[in-house]
Structure formats: structure tokens, C-alpha cells
Amino acid sequence: MNELGEAVAFLLDPASWSGNDGLGKQLVEQALLTVTALLVVALVGLPLGLWLGHRGRGGTFAINVSNVGRAIPVFAVLALLSLGPVGTDVLGPYGRAGMATLIALVLFGLPPVITNAYVGVREVDPEVVEAARGTGMSEWQVFGKVELPLAARLVANGVRLAVVQLWATATIAALVAGPGLGNTITYGFSNNTYRYVIGGAILVALGALVLEGIAALVERAVDPMRRVSGSGHDGLVHTPQIASPSTDTATTGS
């Protein structure tokens, strides 16, 4: 309990957040790593998964990508990359091993994005897709106006998983002298100063919770079924009341 109190005091101390090795700079580095890796993952993984889902092919590839991504330890990839030409140089604001860290994070973030994008499109009701084609829609129109909106929530869920995983995993960059909040944690372990370990872990956990909350809101916002259900003032879908023929006849006769 005393160590937890020391960790809180460490986080509340303004001096902990200043300087070149302060928590403020490390927090920015961690966020920069996460956002950059997520952008690359989205630019690569989303088009690939959506295209495979629309074509109805490549399911084995999408599943294998997901399985391989879960099976390969991220730290092993990072360690190998840090020994090569991409791991020894400083990459601007990403610091030493910045490129190696980004590559490892992208490889780690691709599986949930590709898999969810593929599954999301494939789970769209085939009858709805065929009805859209029957109205004369082109393949691009079918994809953009039917498949993508209906798959949006599951696609967003894949991005949600990826962003939280990327944020938490970015701490391992410190193990190869890279940037981020992992430096505070590793410093605490190496010096038996556990207020640094606990304080850094608290920041990582809080960051994950914030990102999870933001991603959950985005996921709900892009859900077309929720938008439809919210069209009524009471949150229910309202259908127009159509008068029956007998009622119309009675009214006319009177």
C-alpha cells in the first residue's frame, strides 16, 4: 500500500513530468507511436480485409494472418529488428529504434483489423447484396452503399481492438532503448524503485481505458442499426399507421 501511495505521489509531482526524460515527453512518444502505427495498420489492413470480404475469397488468408499475428511474440520481432539496420538509428521524434518499434507494432495490429474487416463484409446478408445488384447497382455501389455501412460496426470493433493493443504494446520499445512510457517502468525495475514501475503502469492502464472509451463511442456512432433505432424520439423504430380498407369505406359511407 505504501508503494502505491509513493507511485501516486510520483505522478502528482510536477517535476516528474518535466525534462527530457519526464513523463510528459514519454506520454507524447507513446501516443505518437500508437497513432502512427494505427494509421499504417488502417491504411494497409482495412482496404485488404474489405476487398477480400467483398470478393468472397481469401478467407483462409485472413484467418491465417490473424493466427500468425497471435502466435508470433511481438518482443521477438522487435528484438530481431533492433539488431538490424532499422533498429540502431534514431527516427526523428520516434527516437532510437523508432522504425523497428513501428514495424513490430504494425505487424501486431494488422490481424484484428484485417480479420474483422473481412468477417464484417462476409456477414452481410447475401439476399440484401443480391437485391442491391438486382436494382442495377454496380459493384462499387454495392460495396459502398450496402456492404460497408452494414459491416461498419464490426470493422470499427477491429480498429478498437487494435488501438488498445498498440497502446499497451508500445511500452516494450523501452526494452530496446526506444521511446515511450516503458522507460519509466524499466528504470524502476532496474533500480528497484517500484514507484516508477507502478506509476508507469497506472499511466498505461489509464491511457488504455481512455482509448477504449473513445473507440467504443466511435463504434456506436458508426453502427447503422443504432442510427435507425434512434430515429424516433423515444429511441424506437416507428412505422406509419395505414388505415384499413374497412375503415376508409365506413368513413366514406358516413
Side-chain angles (χ1 to χ4, degrees):
M1 192 66 181
N2 185 42
E3 291 176 345
L4 178 59
E6 291 180 354
V8 173
F10 165 67
L11 293 176
L12 295 177
D13 185 2
S16 302
W17 294 83
S18 60
N20 291 329
D21 296 326
L23 292 174
K25 182 180 179 181
Q26 293 180 15
L27 189 63
V28 172
E29 291 173 343
Q30 182 105 351
L32 187 60
L33 282 173
T34 303
V35 171
T36 305
L38 181 65
L39 288 175
V40 176
V41 165
L43 289 174
V44 175
L46 285 179
L48 180 59
L50 294 172
W51 178 72
L52 291 175
H54 175 71
R55 291 290 303 274
R57 301 174 183 175
T60 303
F61 171 78
I63 294 173
N64 286 338
V65 166
S66 179
N67 292 336
V68 169
R70 294 188 182 100
I72 297 178
V74 182
F75 175 64
V77 175
L78 179 59
L80 291 174
L81 291 173
S82 65
L83 298 176
V86 299
T88 56
D89 295 333
V90 175
L91 183 65
Y94 301 96
R96 184 189 182 280
M99 179 61 75
T101 304
L102 286 174
I103 294 175
L105 290 177
V106 168
L107 293 176
F108 181 65
L110 280 173
V113 172
I114 293 176
T115 303
N116 277 46
Y118 173 82
V119 173
V121 176
R122 294 308 302 158
E123 285 192 351
V124 175
D125 190 343
E127 293 183 358
V128 175
V129 176
E130 287 304 316
R133 290 193 175 106
T135 62
M137 283 188 177
S138 66
E139 287 301 308
W140 275 110
Q141 289 175 324
V142 170
F143 172 74
K145 296 183 178 180
V146 178
E147 292 178 330
L148 186 57
L150 294 177
R153 181 163 188 177
L154 194 55
V155 173
N157 182 259
V159 177
R160 173 182 174 182
L161 293 173
V163 67
V164 176
Q165 291 176 357
L166 290 173
W167 167 264
T169 309
T171 55
I172 68 172
L175 299 178
V176 292
L181 291 170
N183 286 285
T184 296
I185 299 174
T186 55
Y187 175 83
F189 274 120
S190 60
N191 293 276
N192 294 322
T193 312
Y194 291 103
R195 67 176 180 271
Y196 289 93
V197 178
I198 299 173
I202 290 174
L203 286 180
V204 173
L206 289 176
L209 290 175
V210 170
L211 290 174
E212 172 72 16
I214 294 173
L217 292 175
V218 173
E219 182 181 336
R220 294 177 66 183
V222 301
D223 182 12
M225 300 307 297
R226 185 173 182 83
R227 291 200 297 269
V228 171
S229 65
S231 60
H233 294 292
D234 55 2
L236 301 175
V237 178
H238 295 273
T239 56
Q241 299 297 321
I242 303 176
S244 63
S246 57
T247 304
D248 292 341
T249 303
T251 304
T252 304
S254 60

